[in-house]
């Protein structure tokens, strides 16, 4: 079983930046970030495939970047979500999700596709 641990959340003002990290206890092939705001359904934010191919939802495409740690010791154990120009509507609990299947072989925008989940890290953006 793979355990995922998120970190890097916090409170910032509009326009601020945060970098979330997701660390996996084992090797994974597809890692994604989802978020859930109070009273709303969980939504896909971004994903990264083993070959580095990425996808981001339209509302964050110009502001967020997803990347993986390329150092040999952390190869495919750690993924980052760099969030810039944050807006109040980005406020949510952010969850890291992973699976042992390539993103290209599943629908990485659907939370039901992922077998491993972290506990989440809160991001709060104030106006």
């Amino acid at each position: 079983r793979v355990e995922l641990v998120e970190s890097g959340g916090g409170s910032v003002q509009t326009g601020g930046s945060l970098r979330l990290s997701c660390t996996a206890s084992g090797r994974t092939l597809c890692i994604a970030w989802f978020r859930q705001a109070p009273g709303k359904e969980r939504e896909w934010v971004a994903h990264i495939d083993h070959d580095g191919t990425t996808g981001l939802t339209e509302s964050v495409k110009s502001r967020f970047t997803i990347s993986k740690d390329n150092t040999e010791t952390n190869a495919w154990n750690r993924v980052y979500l760099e969030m810039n120009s944050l807006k109040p509507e980005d406020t949510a609990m952010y969850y890291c999700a992973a699976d042992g299947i390539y993103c290209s072989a599943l629908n990485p925008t659907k939370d039901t596709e992922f077998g491993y989940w972290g506990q989440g890290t809160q991001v709060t953006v104030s106006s």
Side-chain angles (χ1 to χ4, degrees), residues 31-72:
I31 296 182
W33 287 95
F34 289 79
R35 66 186 180 185
Q36 187 167 21
K40 295 188 177 181
E41 292 189 355
R42 187 158 55 188
E43 65 171 350
W44 166 71
V45 177
H47 70 267
I48 184 164
D49 211 338
H50 192 262
D51 65 357
T53 302
T54 63
L56 294 102
T57 194
E58 196 62 38
S59 63
V60 309
K61 197 168 285 186
S62 63
R63 302 182 293 121
F64 293 9
T65 303
I66 186 169
S67 62
K68 59 185 177 77
D69 192 324
N70 287 318
T71 59
E72 186 174 342

Side-chain angles (χ1 to χ4, degrees), residues 93-113:
M93 185 71 79
Y94 282 70
Y95 297 93
C96 177
D99 208 274
I101 300 174
Y102 293 109
C103 292
S104 58
L106 49 79
N107 184 346
T109 69
K110 292 186 66 174
D111 56 1
T112 53
E113 296 280 275

